[in-house]
């Protein structure tokens, strides 16, 4: 398995437990269609508790971070050994198995921590009501994708980079690393959903080689790519 990649002053390395705070922060700071989501929801932990923390809890061996060695890390971010983390990719190899785990191991705690939506700090199209509902509903990950699409692309991923980590080839290196690891496990393909308003991310995925799966819709994008 690919472990580390160096270049451009950055290292792609496996996720470590002390990266958790940095990954959480990056998730929040890129969660509003690629923009900063801090202050949108009543609890800044909502987005990470749905879209990154379950992944590093369930499959930390399928998570990698971009480590700038401290140079790229924003002021006021968590201190510690992961102070230079500016991006990450997280994934699961089998979406169905992850959904089963999420329902039994993650969703009960999430529902207890967030029994109802709170007041939003400002308007946003992804409402807190929808986010809280999604966080307690792992079955959403299987809706909108056909069994055939899931058989060909059973893995799924989330990737986020802070602005200082973008346009440096780091997203491509993260995806190369993940796809190689999934291929070694015999996983044929990986899929992702995304915010349709995040046009920058869509341009990146298209340039990298992702294609629209048959269930793709403009308002609910569904993209996939083979691991080899």
């Amino acid at each position: 398995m690919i472990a580390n990649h160096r270049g451009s002053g950055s290292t792609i390395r496996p996720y470590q437990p002390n990266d958790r705070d940095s990954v959480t922060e990056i998730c929040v700071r890129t969660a509003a269609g690629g923009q900063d989501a801090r202050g949108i929801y009543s609890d800044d932990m909502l987005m990470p508790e749905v879209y990154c923390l379950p992944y590093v809890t369930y499959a930390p061996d399928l998570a990698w971070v971009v480590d700038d060695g401290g140079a790229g890390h924003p002021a006021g971010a968590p201190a510690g050994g992961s102070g230079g983390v500016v991006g990450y990719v997280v994934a699961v190899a089998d979406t169905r198995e992850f959904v089963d785990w999420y329902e039994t191991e993650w969703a009960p705690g999430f529902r207890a921590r967030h029994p109802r939506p709170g007041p939003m700090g400002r308007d946003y199209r992804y409402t807190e009501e929808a986010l809280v509902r999604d966080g307690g509903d792992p079955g959403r990950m299987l809706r909108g994708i056909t069994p055939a699409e899931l058989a060909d692309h059973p893995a799924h991923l989330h990737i986020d980079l802070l602005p200082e980590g973008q346009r440096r080839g780091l997203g491509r290196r993260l995806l190369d690393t993940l796809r190689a690891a999934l291929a070694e496990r015999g996983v044929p393909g990986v899929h992702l959903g995304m915010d349709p308003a995040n046009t920058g991310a869509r341009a990146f995925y298209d340039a990298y080689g992702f294609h629209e799966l048959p269930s793709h819709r403009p308002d609910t994008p569904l993209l996939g790519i083979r691991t080899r």
Side-chain angles (χ1 to χ4, degrees), residues 39-178:
I40 289 180
Y41 302 106
S42 63
D43 185 346
D44 280 346
M45 287 300 295
L46 272 168
M47 274 289 190
E49 286 194 28
V50 179
Y51 293 110
C52 73
L53 295 180
Y55 294 82
V56 297
T57 302
Y58 176 77
D61 55 329
L62 284 177
W64 287 265
V65 300
V66 178
D67 194 334
D68 263 0
H73 200 56
S82 59
V85 174
V86 298
Y88 65 82
V89 65
V90 296
V92 296
D94 188 309
T95 299
R96 291 187 184 276
E97 291 182 358
F98 178 61
V99 166
D100 290 342
W101 172 87
Y102 193 116
E103 180 58 52
T104 59
E105 301 296 330
W106 190 265
F110 179 87
R111 294 174 189 136
R113 290 188 297 275
H114 308 285
R116 63 190 63 83
M120 294 182 67
R122 62 183 189 270
D123 289 339
Y124 187 61
R125 58 186 175 275
Y126 190 14
T127 66
E128 181 153 336
E129 180 180 5
L131 179 53
V132 169
R133 180 180 64 245
D134 288 348
D137 177 25
R140 65 186 159 75
M141 290 179 261
L142 299 176
R143 291 192 287 272
I145 184 169
T146 68
E149 290 166 340
L150 199 57
D152 288 339
H153 302 83
H156 78 264
L157 69 88
H158 295 283
I159 181 171
D160 290 301
L161 286 161
L162 293 176
E164 54 265 41
Q166 296 173 12
R167 302 185 184 278
R168 295 166 53 192
L170 298 172
R172 179 174 291 272
R173 288 164 55 196
L174 282 170
L175 290 178
D176 287 347
T177 302
L178 171 64

Side-chain angles (χ1 to χ4, degrees), residues 1-60:
M1 180 183 297
I2 296 174
N4 288 343
H5 288 286
R6 292 185 180 272
S8 304
S10 300
T11 300
I12 307 296
R13 61 167 175 78
Y15 170 86
Q16 301 169 1
N18 67 340
D19 295 320
R20 192 177 179 94
D21 286 347
S22 290
V23 166
T24 297
E25 184 203 6
I26 292 166
C27 179
V28 177
R29 291 186 62 205
T30 57
Q35 303 301 310
D36 198 331
R38 288 177 293 186
I40 289 180
Y41 302 106
S42 63
D43 185 346
D44 280 346
M45 287 300 295
L46 272 168
M47 274 289 190
E49 286 194 28
V50 179
Y51 293 110
C52 73
L53 295 180
Y55 294 82
V56 297
T57 302
Y58 176 77

